[in-house]
Amino acid sequence: MKIAILPGDGIGAEIVAEAVKVLKALDLKFEMEQADVGGTAYDRHGHPLPEATLKLAQQADAVLFGAVGDWKYDKLERQFRPEQAILGLRKHLGLFANFRPAICYEQLTHASSLKPELVAGLDILIIRELTGDIYFGQPRGRRDAPDGAFAGQPEAFDTMRYTRPEVERIARVAFEAARQRGKRVTSVDKANVLETFQFWKDVVTEVHQDYPDVQLDHMYVDNAAMQLVKEPKKFDVLVTGNMFGDILSDEAAMLTGSIGMLPSASLNDKKQGLYEPSHGSAPDIAGKGIANPLATILSAAMMLRFSLAQPKAADRIESAVKKVLAQGLRTPDIYSAGTTKVGTREMGDAVLKALG
Ligand code: NAD
């Protein structure tokens, strides 16, 4: 088994180092190889996703990714911006299923902006389709409006589209995931207005016939956004398209209070995956040694479970994280009175120790 380690920019190197430390302590047989990505790769090699990095990622069974981006690259041409590395990896590895669990740890319920009783014990999973939808649909561009009330005026347009195989495969991923959890899937759409999402709903309903043991509900995206803050615990697995998933997964992330705690996984049909924290490169705190490494450490646990077939090792890491939280250790982003403030490295060391 081979893991590609791509720390990236900002706090990427600091948080990935802690996850690597934890992985090494598990004493499992896998090889780890590191490469540059994002702005760091642009500075060193002239491209955010150099050929050698892409090749390493393609050959690996899994990629552990830190984060990319910094405001200093904002003026670069779009193709050279750090964020293009993630889009490139998604495209070249065919990563179509994005898993974003939103778990509210008992000790951190106060960190949420919602009332503790609404989020205590929250454990939901958002599955976002990652390669289709309005983000990639063609045609797109700018032109003079060919018709309508403002015909002849400059306009911009994008195309929302989904093919049957794209919807089928993400629906199967959601039903399979639900089987390992609470056996409930909520498919989020906008079928009342958009043809693409009426089609989505029809296909998900058809695929559901193969999963009679899983309960399926359909919900319009505006209602889902509302229910997520009104009664988030009523969900188990939510599955949705690229754009709605982008928005709802960030909303769900904030239910838990700290973005520094949330892992994510993006998988292809061979279970090869890219694992990364849900947050960005946090340039404002980079190099200060105060970033929370737990989202990255928990991403490594997801990697062991989904791509490396090591569920017991994944359980060990997740239990160790719960243990350090129970011990009252907190990086500044999750600190509250009465707990012990620690830095990135101390938090990593504590997880290592809690592994036993
Ligand atoms: P961000 O997630 O980097 O930071 C938002 C806020 O959360 C900041 O105050 C930051 O200090 C804090 N934060 C984030 N991660 C933290 C952690 N582990 N511990 C403690 N605090 C943490 O989002 P942003 O500021 O909007 O973006 C910064 C850069 O990251 C931009 O260049 C953006 O494009 C990029 N970005 C990258 C990814 C990715 O690599 N997948 C995702 C989102 C944003």
Side-chain angles (χ1 to χ4, degrees), residues 11 15 65-71 83 86 259-260 276-285 290-293 333:
I11 59 170
I15 52 178
F65 192 94
V68 292
D70 192 294
W71 318 124
E83 293 78 7
I86 304 184
I259 195 137
E276 58 175 331
S278 296
H279 57 74
S281 55
D284 54 332
I285 57 166
I290 56 170
N292 187 344
D333 58 308

Side-chain angles (χ1 to χ4, degrees), residues 131-291:
T131 54
D133 206 348
I134 197 164
Y135 287 6
F136 296 100
Q138 295 288 343
R140 60 193 289 166
R142 291 181 185 215
R143 62 185 174 189
D144 289 337
D147 48 28
F150 297 99
Q153 293 297 314
E155 71 168 11
F157 65 104
D158 297 277
T159 304
M160 178 177 271
R161 54 191 285 188
Y162 263 120
T163 59
R164 173 178 283 273
E166 285 173 309
V167 184
E168 267 180 23
R169 66 182 182 177
I170 196 75
R172 288 196 188 283
V173 165
F175 289 125
E176 301 280 349
R179 272 188 171 159
Q180 312 297 323
R181 303 172 39 100
K183 296 193 167 51
R184 285 183 296 120
V185 169
T186 304
S187 170
V188 177
D189 61 56
K190 190 70 186 169
N192 50 342
V193 179
L194 299 169
E195 197 55 41
T196 314
F197 275 91
Q198 181 60 56
F199 180 71
W200 169 284
K201 187 173 179 177
D202 295 345
V203 176
V204 172
T205 306
E206 272 178 45
V207 174
H208 179 232
Q209 288 173 5
D210 294 341
Y211 299 87
D213 52 322
V214 178
Q215 184 192 318
L216 170 67
D217 303 303
H218 301 276
M219 195 177 276
Y220 296 140
V221 62
D222 38 351
N223 188 21
M226 196 168 72
Q227 297 302 329
L228 268 174
V229 287
K230 187 170 171 241
E231 216 183 330
K233 281 192 271 185
K234 76 174 178 192
F235 294 110
D236 177 22
V237 174
L238 287 105
V239 62
T240 189
N242 205 346
M243 181 164 66
F244 298 157
D246 193 0
I247 300 162
L248 292 183
S249 58
D250 267 22
E251 185 190 359
M254 283 326 294
L255 298 176
T256 69
S258 172
I259 195 137
M261 294 295 304
L262 295 167
S264 81
S266 303
L267 300 177
N268 66 16
D269 49 10
K270 294 187 225 89
K271 296 250 158 83
Q272 190 187 20
L274 183 143
Y275 297 84
E276 58 175 331
S278 296
H279 57 74
S281 55
D284 54 332
I285 57 166
K288 295 186 180 164
I290 56 170

Side-chain angles (χ1 to χ4, degrees), residues 24-57:
K24 281 187 179 157
L26 294 170
D27 208 16
L28 295 171
K29 284 203 174 73
F30 43 64
E31 195 189 320
M32 293 193 249
E33 192 176 331
Q34 189 163 321
D36 294 327
V37 75
T40 313
Y42 176 79
D43 290 341
R44 292 185 186 153
H45 314 280
H47 198 280
L49 183 58
E51 199 62 38
T53 303
L54 177 59
K55 204 167 157 202
L56 172 67

Side-chain angles (χ1 to χ4, degrees), residues 104 106-114 116 119 330 334-336:
C104 191
E106 198 188 319
Q107 296 86 0
L108 301 179
T109 44
H110 64 276
S112 173
S113 47
L114 295 190
V119 291
R330 304 280 189 273
I334 51 173
Y335 174 78
S336 61

